[in-house]
Structure formats: structure tokens, C-alpha cells
């Protein structure tokens, strides 16, 4: 195996590993962006809306039970 062959293998391995790391980085960035509120279209906004709705229902139940 010549030096050129080893260099080609090293470059190929570096390319594959770099592509994998770049893909994982992109996926993490994409999914984390869904957890930031952005005025209505993210998962975080939906979660906050449902929590607010549940809190209002719990307050209603508590008021009914206190009577």
C-alpha cells in the first residue's frame, strides 16, 4: 500500500465522518428550533397552549369542588 493509497483512505474516512457529524448537527439544530416559541407554529407554543387550557380546567374543577 502506497502513501497515496493511505492518503486516499484517510481523506475518504474524514469525508464520511465529517458528513455524519454535519448531518447529526443539522438534525439537532432543527429539532431544537421546534422547542423555541415562535408565535404559534412550534411544538413549544402548542405545549404552552395546552398547559394553559389544562390549568384553566383545573381551576374550574377546584372552584366547583369548593362550593
Amino acid at each position: 500500500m502506497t502513501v497515496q493509497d493511505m492518503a486516499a483512505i484517510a481523506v475518504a474516512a474524514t469525508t464520511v465522518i465529517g458528513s455524519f457529524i454535519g448531518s447529526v448537527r443539522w438534525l439537532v439544530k432543527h429539532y431544537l428550533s421546534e422547542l423555541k416559541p415562535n408565535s404559534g407554529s412550534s411544538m413549544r407554543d402548542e405545549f404552552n397552549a395546552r398547559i394553559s387550557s389544562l390549568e384553566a380546567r383545573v381551576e374550574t374543577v377546584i372552584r366547583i369542588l369548593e362550593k
Side-chain angles (χ1 to χ4, degrees):
M1 187 177 273
T2 66
V3 175
Q4 285 181 332
D5 293 338
M6 289 191 297
I9 291 172
V11 168
T14 303
T15 302
V16 169
I17 292 170
S19 298
F20 177 75
I21 291 172
S23 298
V24 169
R25 186 175 180 205
W26 181 84
L27 285 171
V28 168
K29 186 177 180 181
H30 176 72
Y31 286 120
L32 287 179
S33 71
E34 283 292 322
L35 299 177
K36 295 179 186 174
N38 66 352
S39 302
S41 65
S42 69
M43 289 188 314
R44 179 66 184 203
D45 291 329
E46 181 68 25
F47 179 75
N48 287 342
R50 289 181 188 255
I51 291 295
S52 297
S53 174
L54 287 173
E55 287 174 347
R57 289 180 183 179
V58 168
E59 290 296 324
T60 303
V61 169
I62 290 172
R63 274 188 261 125
I64 291 171
L65 292 174
E66 287 178 344
K67 289 182 181 180

